[in-house]
PDB file of all heavy atoms in Angstrom:
ATOM      1  N   HIS A  20      87.339 113.949 124.050  1.00  0.00           N
ATOM      2  CA  HIS A  20      85.905 113.782 123.780  1.00  0.00           C
ATOM      3  C   HIS A  20      85.592 114.005 122.299  1.00  0.00           C
ATOM      4  O   HIS A  20      84.616 114.676 121.933  1.00  0.00           O
ATOM      5  CB  HIS A  20      85.077 114.742 124.647  1.00  0.00           C
ATOM      6  CG  HIS A  20      85.378 114.610 126.106  1.00  0.00           C
ATOM      7  ND1 HIS A  20      85.193 113.429 126.798  1.00  0.00           N
ATOM      8  CD2 HIS A  20      85.863 115.495 127.005  1.00  0.00           C
ATOM      9  CE1 HIS A  20      85.548 113.605 128.066  1.00  0.00           C
ATOM     10  NE2 HIS A  20      85.971 114.847 128.211  1.00  0.00           N
ATOM     11  N   SER A  21      86.433 113.444 121.428  1.00  0.00           N
ATOM     12  CA  SER A  21      86.242 113.446 119.974  1.00  0.00           C
ATOM     13  C   SER A  21      86.288 114.830 119.345  1.00  0.00           C
ATOM     14  O   SER A  21      85.913 114.999 118.194  1.00  0.00           O
ATOM     15  CB  SER A  21      84.921 112.756 119.607  1.00  0.00           C
ATOM     16  OG  SER A  21      84.923 111.423 120.064  1.00  0.00           O
ATOM     17  N   SER A  22      86.742 115.811 120.080  1.00  0.00           N
ATOM     18  CA  SER A  22      86.817 117.158 119.533  1.00  0.00           C
ATOM     19  C   SER A  22      88.286 117.556 119.414  1.00  0.00           C
ATOM     20  O   SER A  22      88.934 117.863 120.417  1.00  0.00           O
ATOM     21  CB  SER A  22      86.074 118.140 120.445  1.00  0.00           C
ATOM     22  OG  SER A  22      86.155 119.445 119.924  1.00  0.00           O
ATOM     23  N   PRO A  23      88.867 117.541 118.199  1.00  0.00           N
ATOM     24  CA  PRO A  23      90.292 117.824 118.047  1.00  0.00           C
ATOM     25  C   PRO A  23      90.623 119.278 118.367  1.00  0.00           C
ATOM     26  O   PRO A  23      89.900 120.196 117.993  1.00  0.00           O
ATOM     27  CB  PRO A  23      90.571 117.528 116.566  1.00  0.00           C
ATOM     28  CG  PRO A  23      89.353 116.886 116.029  1.00  0.00           C
ATOM     29  CD  PRO A  23      88.223 117.243 116.918  1.00  0.00           C
ATOM     30  N   LEU A  24      91.718 119.470 119.081  1.00  0.00           N
ATOM     31  CA  LEU A  24      92.244 120.798 119.380  1.00  0.00           C
ATOM     32  C   LEU A  24      93.628 120.891 118.761  1.00  0.00           C
ATOM     33  O   LEU A  24      94.554 120.181 119.158  1.00  0.00           O
ATOM     34  CB  LEU A  24      92.322 121.017 120.890  1.00  0.00           C
ATOM     35  CG  LEU A  24      93.043 122.294 121.356  1.00  0.00           C
ATOM     36  CD1 LEU A  24      92.304 123.536 120.872  1.00  0.00           C
ATOM     37  CD2 LEU A  24      93.199 122.306 122.869  1.00  0.00           C
ATOM     38  N   LEU A  25      93.771 121.734 117.748  1.00  0.00           N
ATOM     39  CA  LEU A  25      95.035 121.867 117.030  1.00  0.00           C
ATOM     40  C   LEU A  25      95.935 122.856 117.761  1.00  0.00           C
ATOM     41  O   LEU A  25      95.555 123.991 118.023  1.00  0.00           O
ATOM     42  CB  LEU A  25      94.782 122.347 115.598  1.00  0.00           C
ATOM     43  CG  LEU A  25      95.990 122.445 114.671  1.00  0.00           C
ATOM     44  CD1 LEU A  25      96.647 121.089 114.497  1.00  0.00           C
ATOM     45  CD2 LEU A  25      95.566 122.998 113.319  1.00  0.00           C
ATOM     46  N   VAL A  26      97.134 122.396 118.107  1.00  0.00           N
ATOM     47  CA  VAL A  26      98.083 123.229 118.834  1.00  0.00           C
ATOM     48  C   VAL A  26      99.089 123.873 117.890  1.00  0.00           C
ATOM     49  O   VAL A  26      99.373 125.062 117.985  1.00  0.00           O
ATOM     50  CB  VAL A  26      98.830 122.388 119.900  1.00  0.00           C
ATOM     51  CG1 VAL A  26      99.830 123.256 120.661  1.00  0.00           C
ATOM     52  CG2 VAL A  26      97.836 121.738 120.858  1.00  0.00           C
ATOM     53  N   ASN A  27      99.631 123.069 116.978  1.00  0.00           N
ATOM     54  CA  ASN A  27     100.675 123.598 116.101  1.00  0.00           C
ATOM     55  C   ASN A  27     100.746 122.746 114.842  1.00  0.00           C
ATOM     56  O   ASN A  27     100.437 121.555 114.872  1.00  0.00           O
ATOM     57  CB  ASN A  27     102.028 123.578 116.815  1.00  0.00           C
ATOM     58  CG  ASN A  27     103.075 124.408 116.084  1.00  0.00           C
ATOM     59  OD1 ASN A  27     102.771 125.092 115.119  1.00  0.00           O
ATOM     60  ND2 ASN A  27     104.309 124.335 116.551  1.00  0.00           N
ATOM     61  N   ILE A  28     101.125 123.349 113.740  1.00  0.00           N
ATOM     62  CA  ILE A  28     101.331 122.608 112.500  1.00  0.00           C
ATOM     63  C   ILE A  28     102.516 123.231 111.768  1.00  0.00           C
ATOM     64  O   ILE A  28     102.618 124.455 111.664  1.00  0.00           O
ATOM     65  CB  ILE A  28     100.062 122.611 111.624  1.00  0.00           C
ATOM     66  CG1 ILE A  28     100.245 121.715 110.409  1.00  0.00           C
ATOM     67  CG2 ILE A  28      99.660 124.009 111.217  1.00  0.00           C
ATOM     68  CD1 ILE A  28      98.943 121.430 109.688  1.00  0.00           C
ATOM     69  N   THR A  29     103.428 122.379 111.329  1.00  0.00           N
ATOM     70  CA  THR A  29     104.653 122.899 110.732  1.00  0.00           C
ATOM     71  C   THR A  29     105.123 121.975 109.622  1.00  0.00           C
ATOM     72  O   THR A  29     104.632 120.853 109.480  1.00  0.00           O
ATOM     73  CB  THR A  29     105.762 123.043 111.793  1.00  0.00           C
ATOM     74  OG1 THR A  29     106.863 123.756 111.244  1.00  0.00           O
ATOM     75  CG2 THR A  29     106.236 121.676 112.279  1.00  0.00           C
ATOM     76  N   THR A  30     106.089 122.442 108.846  1.00  0.00           N
ATOM     77  CA  THR A  30     106.633 121.648 107.755  1.00  0.00           C
ATOM     78  C   THR A  30     108.140 121.853 107.667  1.00  0.00           C
ATOM     79  O   THR A  30     108.660 122.904 108.058  1.00  0.00           O
ATOM     80  CB  THR A  30     105.973 122.030 106.415  1.00  0.00           C
ATOM     81  OG1 THR A  30     106.440 121.158 105.393  1.00  0.00           O
ATOM     82  CG2 THR A  30     106.287 123.457 106.029  1.00  0.00           C
ATOM     83  N   VAL A  31     108.828 120.815 107.176  1.00  0.00           N
ATOM     84  CA  VAL A  31     110.284 120.862 107.032  1.00  0.00           C
ATOM     85  C   VAL A  31     110.639 120.346 105.647  1.00  0.00           C
ATOM     86  O   VAL A  31     110.150 119.298 105.220  1.00  0.00           O
ATOM     87  CB  VAL A  31     110.972 119.979 108.102  1.00  0.00           C
ATOM     88  CG1 VAL A  31     112.455 119.822 107.797  1.00  0.00           C
ATOM     89  CG2 VAL A  31     110.758 120.558 109.492  1.00  0.00           C
ATOM     90  N   ASP A  32     111.467 121.080 104.934  1.00  0.00           N
ATOM     91  CA  ASP A  32     111.949 120.623 103.634  1.00  0.00           C
ATOM     92  C   ASP A  32     113.085 119.631 103.835  1.00  0.00           C
ATOM     93  O   ASP A  32     114.026 119.884 104.608  1.00  0.00           O
ATOM     94  CB  ASP A  32     112.447 121.802 102.792  1.00  0.00           C
ATOM     95  CG  ASP A  32     111.319 122.685 102.309  1.00  0.00           C
ATOM     96  OD1 ASP A  32     110.227 122.144 102.040  1.00  0.00           O
ATOM     97  OD2 ASP A  32     111.517 123.912 102.214  1.00  0.00           O
ATOM     98  N   LEU A  33     113.010 118.487 103.160  1.00  0.00           N
ATOM     99  CA  LEU A  33     114.074 117.494 103.226  1.00  0.00           C
ATOM    100  C   LEU A  33     115.276 117.963 102.410  1.00  0.00           C
ATOM    101  O   LEU A  33     115.140 118.778 101.490  1.00  0.00           O
ATOM    102  CB  LEU A  33     113.577 116.150 102.712  1.00  0.00           C
ATOM    103  CG  LEU A  33     112.473 115.492 103.555  1.00  0.00           C
ATOM    104  CD1 LEU A  33     111.941 114.256 102.851  1.00  0.00           C
ATOM    105  CD2 LEU A  33     112.994 115.128 104.928  1.00  0.00           C
ATOM    106  N   GLN A  34     116.439 117.430 102.718  1.00  0.00           N
ATOM    107  CA  GLN A  34     117.658 117.860 102.039  1.00  0.00           C
ATOM    108  C   GLN A  34     117.770 117.308 100.626  1.00  0.00           C
ATOM    109  O   GLN A  34     118.596 117.760  99.843  1.00  0.00           O
ATOM    110  CB  GLN A  34     118.877 117.421 102.868  1.00  0.00           C
ATOM    111  CG  GLN A  34     118.966 118.124 104.210  1.00  0.00           C
ATOM    112  CD  GLN A  34     120.083 117.573 105.068  1.00  0.00           C
ATOM    113  OE1 GLN A  34     120.518 116.441 104.873  1.00  0.00           O
ATOM    114  NE2 GLN A  34     120.542 118.361 106.027  1.00  0.00           N
ATOM    115  N   GLY A  35     116.951 116.312 100.317  1.00  0.00           N
ATOM    116  CA  GLY A  35     116.961 115.732  98.979  1.00  0.00           C
ATOM    117  C   GLY A  35     115.691 114.934  98.756  1.00  0.00           C
ATOM    118  O   GLY A  35     114.880 114.752  99.662  1.00  0.00           O
ATOM    119  N   SER A  36     115.508 114.458  97.544  1.00  0.00           N
ATOM    120  CA  SER A  36     114.302 113.707  97.187  1.00  0.00           C
ATOM    121  C   SER A  36     114.399 112.274  97.698  1.00  0.00           C
ATOM    122  O   SER A  36     115.334 111.545  97.366  1.00  0.00           O
ATOM    123  CB  SER A  36     114.139 113.699  95.660  1.00  0.00           C
ATOM    124  OG  SER A  36     113.225 112.703  95.261  1.00  0.00           O
TER     125      SER A  36
END
Side-chain angles (χ1 to χ4, degrees):
H20 306 300
S21 300
S22 180
L24 172 63
L25 184 61
V26 180
N27 193 7
I28 186 167
T29 190
T30 185
V31 170
D32 289 326
L33 295 173
Q34 294 174 337
S36 164

